[in-house]
Amino acid sequence: EAGVTQSPTHLIKTRGQQATLRCSPISGHTSVYWYQQALGLGLQFLLWYDEGEERNRGNFPPRFSGRQFPNYSSELNVNALELEDSALYLCASIQAYRRRIEKLFFGSGTQLSVL
Amino acid sequence: SQELEQSPQSLIVQEGKNLTINCTSSKTLYGLYWYKQKYGEGLIFLMMLQKGGEEKSHEKITAKLDEKKQQSSLHITASQPSHAGIYLCGADDTGFQKLVFGTGTRLLVSP
């Protein structure tokens, strides 16, 4: 069974450009989480999509946005890139959100570098 | 929302030595997860603890949950170079519908 897959593995952009990151959850998983891991910092919660809807977002500016497609894959868009957006972006999926989160399955991440 | 603090932030141990990593929560823990991350890669699930006093082991790694202290510890026995990486604790930020993580403990195991 394939795990959570993210693409691209690495992405290099210049300040002001837009970046698009993609995530395919494990087959049968309907809920996708996005996290940002900047150098020296822990994982910061970005966005949560469940059944095609944005359910929750972290403390990030509106230029961080995304969506979830009918096949439950997800896309994270970062507009007007800034140098501090350079980070590892991790996607994780769970089968379905219940009252309490269970085990999250993580992808290998997209390393975004903003020059 | 919930915050998790890990200690130590980094750790260098000699191969064969034991070590302990702690994770303290600012709120009551309803579930505590331990993950391992190799540098620049995704997170690998290690263990999930759900009940106070619960203790789980996987190979040479043991984790315990002390609900009263809002704390969990991860203990590695007879460390090996393969144990090197970043260890992160995570908890369900109940009511906020997300998993929050500690800042991580970087472990290096010297031969």
Side-chain angles (χ1 to χ4, degrees), chain A residues 33 35 37 39-43 45 48 55-56 88 90 97 99-109, chain B residues 30-31 33 35 37 40-43 45 48 50 86 88 92 94 96-104 106:
Chain A
Y33 288 79
Y35 285 86
Q37 187 178 33
L39 194 64
L41 299 176
L43 271 72
F45 168 72
W48 170 38
R55 303 292 186 185
N56 198 6
L88 181 67
L90 292 165
Y97 179 78
R99 189 176 62 86
R100 192 162 291 164
I101 294 176
E102 296 177 359
K103 177 180 167 184
L104 277 176
F105 294 81
F106 280 86
S108 297
Chain B
Y30 293 100
Y33 306 77
Y35 285 84
Q37 182 183 29
E41 298 183 10
L43 276 66
F45 174 81
M48 177 173 69
Q50 291 186 300
I86 302 171
L88 296 110
D92 181 3
T94 306
F96 291 90
Q97 301 168 329
K98 64 181 187 288
L99 200 63
V100 294
F101 288 90
T103 50
R106 296 174 181 270

Side-chain angles (χ1 to χ4, degrees), chain A residues 14-90:
Chain A
T14 56
R15 199 166 47 181
Q17 285 188 314
Q18 180 199 37
T20 298
L21 288 64
R22 296 179 177 84
C23 171
S24 292
I26 290 173
S27 177
H29 286 195
T30 61
S31 211
V32 171
Y33 288 79
W34 286 95
Y35 285 86
Q36 181 197 63
Q37 187 178 33
L39 194 64
L41 299 176
L43 271 72
Q44 302 297 315
F45 168 72
L46 260 170
L47 288 160
W48 170 38
Y49 292 96
D50 183 57
E51 294 283 353
E53 300 283 334
E54 182 181 303
R55 303 292 186 185
N56 198 6
R57 68 178 290 129
N59 189 24
F60 281 83
R63 56 191 186 82
F64 286 85
S65 64
R67 53 181 171 167
Q68 186 177 33
F69 299 98
N71 67 353
Y72 304 114
S73 66
S74 179
E75 198 173 84
L76 174 68
N77 294 294
V78 188
N79 294 319
L81 284 165
E82 299 179 2
L83 296 178
E84 53 264 34
D85 296 334
S86 296
L88 181 67
Y89 289 83
L90 292 165

Side-chain angles (χ1 to χ4, degrees), chain B residues 47-64:
Chain B
M47 276 172 276
M48 177 173 69
L49 304 166
Q50 291 186 300
K51 300 176 185 177
E54 187 173 11
E55 180 175 322
K56 285 189 177 178
S57 294
H58 175 68
E59 297 179 343
K60 294 185 178 179
I61 301 176
T62 300
K64 300 179 186 179

